[in-house]
Amino acid sequence: MRVLGIESSCDETAVAVYDDIGGLLSHRLYSQVAMHQPYGGVVPELASRDHVRRLLPLVREALADAQSTPESIDGLAYTAGPGLIGALLVGAGFATALSVAWDKPALGIHHLEGHLLAPLLEPNPPAFPFLALLVSGGHTQLVDVAALGEYRILGETLDDAAGEAFDKTAKLLGLPYPGGAALAALAENGRSGQFVFPRPMLDRPGLDFSFSGLKTAALVALRGRDLPPSVRADVARGFEDAVVETLAEKCRRALGVTGHRRLVIAGGVGANRRLRARLTTVVCDLNAEVFFPRPEFCTDNGAMIALAGCMRLGKGMCGSLNMGARANWELGAIGV
Ligand code: KG4
Ligand code: ZN
């Protein structure tokens, strides 16, 4: 079973070929970051138009890298949502057209299902069931994953996503969009404990998150002052410590509540070095295991979509030409 996967939900155009026997055969990605940078964030219409420009060459390259022809492809998988509707429609339209031309099924994949399956691309993949922490630019969720398509949301953010909090605080620190990785790099030079930010929602029971107060706390710490780089690094470190500690504590609680022994981390913030180190300690204390995708598969990519498509096709879940795209789509509602 060989699947061509297409991801176009936001500012990355990505294509990959995944084979259930050969594994990941190729993956290509074009990032629009430079195009959006002058605006300080993603401009949806520019994103959609650029996906139109990039998709066809990327598909050609991914097929060539995988030494695959359209005849050798058994199906197509594309991100059907959630995301920017115009950007999603480009991928959905493109995959549906190829599906008609090649006479192969096309499957619409939930973007977050792609993220939470991404650790299965690695050499030591987790078995089902597991607990997943999804930490991306748009979502922060703890998910009980019973099997493919069987997802129960245990907790989620009540306001900003963890990645969004990184991006907004990075902006306050004068760092370019997207700020998460840049803030983490700045925090490497900062000292812990110089600025102590709140650990939101840790003082109450439950598995929900709230990150919008952290950016306000950063604003207060900076107070519009032009601080020297070493102090800005201390602020970045204080912010990162607060996010990492909050996520780690909620994971510890969720492992306790569910009894799961496997924890999967997925989404862009999962690339954060300090978060990875902290969660490794948490699972070690609980006699559990943690699974991360490699950093390039934490952020948006085509490999996770091709893999999800391959797993679904393998279970006989075929697509429909009416699938289309959805800007909003609950992960708990996707089913099998
Ligand atoms: O999963 P993703 O690529 O896109 C969405 O589906 O949202 O996640 C992007 C998010 C951005 O907010 C970005 O700032 C954040 O992941 N991010 C990081 C790091 N690398 C990316 N946040 C913290 N530390 C990092 N190293
Ligand atoms: Zn994503």
Side-chain angles (χ1 to χ4, degrees):
M1 178 81 64
R2 190 169 290 189
V3 170
L4 178 80
I6 294 173
E7 156 64 34
S8 71
S9 65
C10 190
D11 58 349
E12 256 104 29
T13 323
V15 177
V17 178
Y18 186 87
D19 184 286
D20 59 353
I21 295 167
L24 184 62
L25 301 183
S26 67
H27 64 103
R28 288 270 179 163
L29 182 143
Y30 180 84
S31 168
Q32 302 177 354
V33 161
M35 184 179 74
H36 297 295
Q37 220 147 34
Y39 306 97
V42 179
V43 183
E45 184 58 22
L46 293 182
S48 312
R49 288 170 191 233
D50 208 54
H51 287 309
V52 173
R53 274 192 289 274
R54 307 291 168 192
L55 260 178
L56 191 54
L58 283 176
V59 166
R60 288 207 176 100
E61 288 165 13
L63 283 176
D65 290 352
Q67 300 183 334
S68 291
T69 57
E71 293 73 44
S72 66
I73 299 292
D74 299 299
L76 295 126
Y78 62 94
T79 304
L84 301 172
I85 192 64
L88 290 166
L89 279 168
V90 175
F94 191 89
T96 307
L98 279 186
S99 137
V100 173
W102 294 354
D103 194 21
K104 311 283 167 148
L107 273 79
I109 301 293
H110 195 292
H111 182 75
L112 297 180
E113 174 173 79
H115 272 306
L116 66 80
L117 295 176
L120 276 71
L121 292 161
E122 302 305 331
N124 172 29
F128 293 115
F130 53 76
L131 172 73
L133 172 69
L134 280 172
V135 268
S136 70
H139 295 84
T140 301
Q141 294 182 330
L142 274 163
V143 189
D144 189 333
V145 179
L148 179 68
E150 290 179 39
Y151 310 125
R152 192 165 59 93
I153 311 297
L154 301 172
E156 60 192 329
T157 184
L158 304 178
D159 40 57
D160 290 356
E164 193 179 354
F166 263 96
D167 293 341
K168 286 178 175 172
T169 305
K171 204 168 189 172
L172 294 174
L173 285 162
L175 300 168
Y177 149 87
L183 190 153
L186 180 64
E188 287 295 307
N189 305 319
R191 291 164 300 168
S192 237
Q194 295 299 305
F195 289 86
V196 180
F197 288 86
R199 270 62 172 156
M201 313 274 290
L202 286 194
D203 53 350
R204 19 187 148 153
L207 297 171
D208 286 333
F209 304 90
S210 163
F211 289 111
S212 67
L214 275 181
K215 124 203 118 208
T216 313
L219 190 64
V220 170
L222 294 165
R223 276 194 224 103
R225 291 172 296 174
D226 194 12
L227 297 168
S230 64
V231 181
R232 288 171 53 249
D234 290 341
V235 172
R237 180 63 191 269
F239 168 84
E240 187 182 48
D241 283 349
V243 177
V244 166
E245 204 40 53
T246 305
L247 293 173
E249 174 57 20
K250 294 282 166 152
C251 285
R252 198 185 58 74
R253 284 186 199 175
L255 285 168
V257 170
T258 58
H260 281 307
R261 300 263 62 85
R262 287 178 289 274
L263 172 66
V264 154
I265 311 301
V269 182
N272 186 276
R273 199 182 65 78
R274 240 174 255 285
L275 177 66
R276 293 165 86 100
R278 183 74 188 91
L279 289 171
T280 304
T281 318
V282 167
V283 296
C284 192
D285 293 347
L286 294 173
N287 211 8
E289 277 181 287
V290 65
F291 299 83
F292 306 101
R294 71 196 82 165
E296 69 173 316
F297 291 159
C298 282
T299 45
D300 291 349
N301 64 86
M304 65 187 194
I305 303 302
L307 169 71
C310 194
M311 290 176 73
R312 282 187 166 264
L313 265 185
K315 290 208 171 291
M317 306 171 192
C318 283
S320 139
L321 289 182
N322 300 323
M323 179 74 207
R326 305 182 196 184
N328 299 306
W329 189 7
E330 291 296 322
L331 179 64
I334 64 173
V336 288

